Amino acid sequence: MNPPEAAADLPDDANDLRGFHFKRLLGKPLTWILLVIFAVAAGAGGATLVGPAIGAAAAVGVFLLGLLIVFAIADSRAEEAFFAAYAEQRGMALSGKGPLPAATPLLRKGDDRYAERALAGPLADGVDGVLALYTYETETTDSEGNRQTNYYHYTVGLAQVPECVAFVPELYCQRKSGLRALEKFEDVFRRSKERVKLESEALDKRYEIFTGKGQDAVRLRQILSPTFIVWLTDSAPEKFAFELVDGTLCCYVHGHKKKAAELDTIRAASAAVAGRLRDESTE
């Protein structure tokens, strides 16, 4: 593990380095040369085709657009630098856009799916896995034939817990949404799953828990112990959920998290669930 003092040098989030990279880009003569060239070209074209006033407006507009492009480049470089530093200080290997194993329902959703960034390595002592900014896309077509792509973003923590396969091959702990009165109606469409009901009002308000039919009820209740339920309701990250399928654990929250504290929280939560599943399955 990395020494505590190393973490002190890590920026709080990707945006902390944005100003540095923006100033750095503006300090390069080439940046200003390109900005001026494009602004003058736009101004000359506008003046020739329409008039001087339009030419001046076009020059200013292109110049401002150029600054926005420079800012976007700085933002991208800041994010790259943040994740590189985060990975190094946590002893993880950083990779760019690429696939994740389609092992759970979330990781199989959409028409296209990928990790925009992935960090492989220790989630906690004794628990290795992957922390990733995951996106899946869906395409829709309206009545006029116009296609639109919708993007859904998650931060996921993946770990392998093969010890669970023999006892609890499937377990889904989902955040509750919709009307509770629709539970029985929803269950009709989950014919291969069984809803798990536990004696916890706090858990019932926040989560829906499902498992595969015919699984070991005793082992399941050992995993979903009162202590674990209290952790889920009181200590888990906001809007935290997880899926376990054939030994692959996928923990997730909505949105791409780009702050060190948030990433650490998801790493720790994923490791906690993996440890809980592993400990109960090997007893």
Side-chain angles (χ1 to χ4, degrees):
M1 298 297 289
N2 298 293
E5 58 269 20
D9 297 329
L10 181 69
D12 291 334
D13 56 49
N15 292 337
D16 282 357
L17 297 172
R18 190 166 53 192
F20 167 78
H21 284 281
F22 186 57
K23 290 178 182 178
R24 189 175 183 182
L25 286 170
L26 291 181
K28 295 182 177 182
L30 179 61
T31 301
W32 290 101
I33 291 171
L34 292 174
L35 287 173
V36 171
I37 288 174
F38 285 111
V40 169
T48 301
L49 295 174
V50 182
I54 297 299
V60 171
V62 168
F63 184 81
L64 293 176
L65 178 61
L67 287 177
L68 288 176
I69 293 172
V70 172
F71 185 81
I73 293 171
D75 185 61
S76 177
R77 291 185 180 180
E79 189 172 309
E80 291 280 356
F82 166 77
F83 277 99
Y86 182 92
E88 181 180 2
Q89 294 186 7
R90 286 354 184 239
M92 306 182 82
L94 175 65
S95 59
K97 186 175 181 179
L100 292 177
T104 74
L106 176 64
L107 301 179
R108 292 192 291 265
K109 281 190 173 183
D111 300 302
D112 192 16
R113 62 206 66 82
Y114 46 86
E116 298 193 12
R117 299 184 190 278
L119 301 102
L123 300 179
D125 289 337
V127 181
D128 286 344
V130 174
L131 183 68
L133 305 185
Y134 169 68
T135 297
Y136 75 85
E137 304 176 6
T138 61
E139 288 191 354
T140 57
T141 305
D142 61 23
S143 58
E144 298 179 354
N146 299 313
R147 303 186 71 178
Q148 178 178 338
T149 301
N150 302 297
Y151 299 89
Y152 302 88
H153 303 299
Y154 295 84
T155 302
V156 303
L158 305 178
Q160 295 299 316
V161 280
E163 300 90 344
C164 297
V165 175
F167 305 105
V168 186
E170 290 183 87
L171 181 60
Y172 308 93
C173 185
Q174 303 171 347
R175 295 299 302 191
K176 197 148 204 173
S177 61
L179 299 174
R180 298 178 68 186
L182 296 178
E183 284 182 355
K184 291 183 179 180
F185 178 76
E186 291 174 353
D187 287 347
V188 173
F189 299 95
R190 295 187 173 105
R191 297 186 185 279
S192 62
K193 310 292 185 293
E194 289 182 346
R195 185 183 293 272
V196 178
K197 282 291 189 179
L198 299 168
E199 295 75 28
S200 170
E201 186 176 346
L203 183 74
D204 191 50
K205 286 181 179 178
R206 293 172 175 81
Y207 292 97
E208 293 180 299
I209 299 178
F210 298 90
T211 189
K213 289 189 175 181
Q215 291 186 179
D216 188 333
V218 174
R219 183 74 69 170
L220 186 63
R221 290 202 171 251
Q222 288 174 340
I223 291 173
L224 299 171
S225 67
T227 302
F228 186 55
I229 289 172
V230 170
W231 180 84
L232 279 173
T233 56
D234 295 349
S235 301
E238 185 178 0
K239 298 183 179 180
F240 178 79
F242 68 84
E243 302 172 339
L244 173 70
V245 180
D246 293 333
T248 297
L249 173 67
C250 175
C251 301
Y252 60 92
V253 296
H254 286 275
H256 286 170
K257 304 305 179 184
K258 299 180 181 179
K259 294 184 177 180
E262 293 175 332
L263 293 169
D264 283 342
T265 297
I266 297 165
R267 284 174 64 224
S270 301
V273 176
R276 177 67 187 171
L277 293 169
R278 185 173 294 161
D279 291 346
E280 286 300 329
S281 297
T282 55
E283 284 189 354

